[in-house]
Each structure stands twice: as C-alpha cells, then as structure tokens.
Amino acid sequence: MLNILFSSRKSKEEIKRELEEDYGITMDDGYGREIDTMCNLSYMFEERGLERGITEVAGNLILMGKDNAFIRKATALSEEAIERLREQVPTGQKR
C-alpha cells in the first residue's frame, strides 16, 4: 500500500482510486484529505532530495575549480546561491 501512496508517477486521483478499488478504503470519510497530505509530503521529500543533489553537484564543481557561469549552466542555481555555497565549501579538499 505504501508504494501506491508514495508513487511519484501517479496523480492523487489515481492513488485514491487504487486505494478504493484494491483495498476497499473509501475516500469520503476523511481519508481523502489524509491522502492529499501524504501525497504532498511525498512531493516535498522528492523536492528536498533534488535540491540536495543539485547542491552537492555544485559543491563538487566548485572543488573542481569551475567558474560560476559554468556552475549556473550545469545546475540552474542563481549567482547568489553559488556564492553562498562557495563560502561553505572547504577549499583544497576533495569531497
């Protein structure tokens, strides 16, 4: 059931329909709102993971000596975000 709830490939409506059809869980007695919350949490965790991945890539590019223009093009991070990251990445060390 959790694989249905946390599927990033299905819409909320598809998830609700599958839970009703496969598990007999009706969405009219509060479960629908709970499913909406669970789907929103799933989306939030996915977004956080992407952000962390992009930040790590940018940090590695900084360590490789790449300039901001290159990092911006590779990650779509803003100039300000790259500069903040440069302040955090220890120079002269490999990650």
Side-chain angles (χ1 to χ4, degrees), residues 18-64:
E18 282 190 39
L19 290 173
E20 283 185 320
E21 292 174 0
D22 296 348
Y23 295 94
I25 300 172
T26 58
M27 295 296 129
D28 58 351
D29 51 357
Y31 289 118
R33 285 189 307 276
E34 291 180 23
I35 298 301
D36 288 343
T37 300
M38 294 297 289
C39 290
N40 290 340
L41 285 173
S42 176
Y43 178 74
M44 179 191 68
F45 288 130
E46 184 177 341
E47 287 295 309
R48 283 186 182 173
L50 288 172
E51 288 173 18
R52 285 184 180 158
I54 290 170
T55 300
E56 180 144 344
V57 167
N60 288 335
L61 292 171
I62 289 169
L63 290 172
M64 294 169 64

Side-chain angles (χ1 to χ4, degrees), residues 65-79:
K66 300 300 180 183
D67 63 22
N68 285 10
F70 183 91
I71 296 169
R72 230 181 14 257
K73 192 171 185 178
T75 64
L77 289 175
S78 69
E79 186 80 21

